[in-house]
């Protein structure tokens, strides 16, 4: 895969300014250490960021120590012991774990009536501990606030940010290429310490000038994005915040296409980005048939129709209202934004794939799509979100393969749960009868390719041809990995719906996509 960005590195021999040496967290092993009696050793907690073997050392080794409080006991030039105390900041934003060691109910999620939701993920953390990713996000909160200032272009008055700039430089460099189809969201997530969704979405909202146009409060925007990211279940192999960030990046690529960029309003762009970021909000990692056959309350609430999509939408609306992101707008405008957001998210329901695809094909055949019409623009946004949601097979092989492995892992995990509780195993979820290869080949053939062929008819650009090219190559790669005896593997069955499709093609077109397990 072609690398579309050059990543800067921090030189090992970089001289360190004196004002940086004075930051919180520095530990000195110098013979002239102040620990021998003059200042109180606790004054060390007022320093930050450096481990130095001499107070005048200008080439000190630097280690990130944000939100750490370090106490060092030193006697006769021998380090007797060190204790690192983790002090939680912003405790009001951290949910307390239950006494039994399971993750508590997240906002909007509830246990299944027949199967305890807590059993869905076997790798539950030990009693009384916070998840590792939660701790990392907590410790890097200051860094994300700093990054948000960088994205807004706010100049720094304090030179102490010199190290933060070095560490966030690689992520900034990637954001300069955020419109590239080769964008590596996995690398970006690592560089942002697991906060790809917050950083990327905030950057795009600012990039399109939406903060100024809609007079948005940047504190509310940031709080909303933090809450959105927190409400994704990162223990899900696929339906997590990284997937949401990937869909948001893909949506940005489509919004840049000539037909859309010339026609879409600022309101359309804002809705497109918000829908992409929240389209799988609070996804439990299981599909709609699982919710129905376990008598989940959401299935009853939404009458077994677009259960997850309705829940994603309502969860997003809940966060919008909790953060009061649009509270400054007229009430009718706010309600209209919420309704249109729901219309976009509901379009990702794969059981309605043929409905949307047929309507799109009819418009293209009749050449009557008028992007000056608000209803037509909204329909094109729906199709763009559907493409972004299942675009993984159209990415370069190195990225597409990772997504394929993750979504199949999630399918198989659901199958294992169903076997454990003696339920009928959902299609594509039985690891004994399915492989990654045959699941992906069927998915590409009957779901992805028909959609992206029509999208290329609508927007015949270099990007569309690139996506179709990657799709063909990836499909051939999966075919080559199939066992010789299973070269003509059985295509995946459709998602278990209430009534079977009348035709085989329709059934296959409703197979579960990567981007939305019943989404």
């Amino acid at each position: 895969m072609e690398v579309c960005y050059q990543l800067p590195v921090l030189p090992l021999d970089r001289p360190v300014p004196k004002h940086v040496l004075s930051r919180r967290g520095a530990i000195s092993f110098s013979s002239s250490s102040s620990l021998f009696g003059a200042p109180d050793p606790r004054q060390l907690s007022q320093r930050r960021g450096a481990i130095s073997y001499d107070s005048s050392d200008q080439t000190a080794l630097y280690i990130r120590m944000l939100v750490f409080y370090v106490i060092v006991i030193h006697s006769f030039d021998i380090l007797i012991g060190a204790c690192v105390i983790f002090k939680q900041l912003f405790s009001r934003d951290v949910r307390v774990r239950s006494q039994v060691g399971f993750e508590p109910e997240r906002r909007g999620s509830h246990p299944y009536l027949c199967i305890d939701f807590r059993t869905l993920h076997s790798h539950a953390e030990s009693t009384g501990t916070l998840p590792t990713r939660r701790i990392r996000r907590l410790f890097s909160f200051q860094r994300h606030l700093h990054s948000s200032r960088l994205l807004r272009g706010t100049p720094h008055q304090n030179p102490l940010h010199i190290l933060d700039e070095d560490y966030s430089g690689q992520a900034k460099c990637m954001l300069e290429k955020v419109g590239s189809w080769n964008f590596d969201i996995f690398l970006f997530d690592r560089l942002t310490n697991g906060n790809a969704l917050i950083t990327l979405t905030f950057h795009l909202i600012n990039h399109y000038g939406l903060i100024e146009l809609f007079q948005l409060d940047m504190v509310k925007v940031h709080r909303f994005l933090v809450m959105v990211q927190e409400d994704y279940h990162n223990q899900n192999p696929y339906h997590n915040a990284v997937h949401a960030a990937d869909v948001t990046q893909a949506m940005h690529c489509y919004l840049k296409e000539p037909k859309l960029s010339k026609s879409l309003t600022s309101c359309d762009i804002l809705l497109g980005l918000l829908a992409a970021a929240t389209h799988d909000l609070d996804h439990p990692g299981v599909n709609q048939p699982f919710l129905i056959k376990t008598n989940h309350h959401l299935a009853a609430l939404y009458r077994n129709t677009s259960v997850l999509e309705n829940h994603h939408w309502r969860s997003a609306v809940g966060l919008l209202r909790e953060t009061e992101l649009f509270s400054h707008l007229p009430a009718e405008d706010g309600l209209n934004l919420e309704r249109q957001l729901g219309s976009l998210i509901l379009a990702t329901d794969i059981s309605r794939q043929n409905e949307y695809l047929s309507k799109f094909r009819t418009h293209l055949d009749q050449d009557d799509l008028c992007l000056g019409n608000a209803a037509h623009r909204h329909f094109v946004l729906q199709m763009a979100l559907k493409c972004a949601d299942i675009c993984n097979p159209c990415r370069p092989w190195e990225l597409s393969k990772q997504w394929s492995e993750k979504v199949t892992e999630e399918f198989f995990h659901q199958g294992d749960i169903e076997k454990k509780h003696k339920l009928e195993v959902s299609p594509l979820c039985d690891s004994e009868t399915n492989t990654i290869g045959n699941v992906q080949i069927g998915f590409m053939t009957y779901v992805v390719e028909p959609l992206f062929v029509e999208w290329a008819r609508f927007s015949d650009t270099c990007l569309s041809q690139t996506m179709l090219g990657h799709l063909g190559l990836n499909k051939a790669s999966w075919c080559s990995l199939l066992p010789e005896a299973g070269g003509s593997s059985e295509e995946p069955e459709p998602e278990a719906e209430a009534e079977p499709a009348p035709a085989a093609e329709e059934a296959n077109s409703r197979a579960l996509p990567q981007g939305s397990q019943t989404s």
Side-chain angles (χ1 to χ4, degrees), residues 116-159:
D116 194 336
F117 176 60
R118 298 173 297 183
T119 67
L120 288 178
H121 303 285
S122 59
H123 51 279
E125 294 83 0
S126 59
T127 302
T129 60
L130 284 170
T132 303
R133 287 176 65 86
R134 180 72 61 81
I135 291 176
R136 281 167 36 208
R137 285 198 297 272
L138 190 66
F139 288 163
S140 59
F141 188 77
Q142 293 180 359
R143 184 168 150 199
H144 297 312
L145 291 179
H146 168 70
S147 297
S148 67
R149 289 194 294 270
L150 291 177
L151 297 178
R152 297 196 303 269
T154 305
H156 296 303
Q157 304 299 327
N158 190 342

Side-chain angles (χ1 to χ4, degrees), residues 223-276:
R223 181 170 177 245
F224 171 75
L225 293 177
V226 169
M227 294 172 73
V228 166
Q229 179 171 278
E230 283 294 317
D231 273 4
Y232 276 96
H233 298 224
N234 285 326
Q235 63 267 48
N236 291 343
Y238 182 84
H239 287 103
N240 52 41
V242 182
H243 165 64
D246 184 63
V247 173
T248 305
Q249 191 271 335
M251 176 61 87
H252 169 59
C253 292
Y254 300 150
L255 295 178
K256 288 174 44 187
E257 293 287 78
K259 278 192 175 181
L260 277 71
S261 64
K262 296 176 182 177
S263 307
L264 296 181
T265 65
S266 298
C267 185
D268 295 329
I269 294 172
L270 177 63
L271 283 169
L273 295 177
L274 291 180

Side-chain angles (χ1 to χ4, degrees), residues 76-94:
F76 303 101
D77 283 337
I78 298 176
L79 182 63
I80 297 177
C83 175
V84 179
I85 301 175
F86 298 86
K87 180 178 180 180
Q88 282 189 344
L89 295 182
F90 312 103
S91 57
R92 59 186 176 184
D93 292 334
V94 180

Side-chain angles (χ1 to χ4, degrees), residues 313 317 332 334-344 378:
W313 167 35
V317 170
E332 183 59 31
L335 291 175
N336 186 48
L337 284 171
E338 292 176 358
R339 284 193 294 266
Q340 293 190 67
L341 180 65
S343 178
L344 291 176
H378 187 77

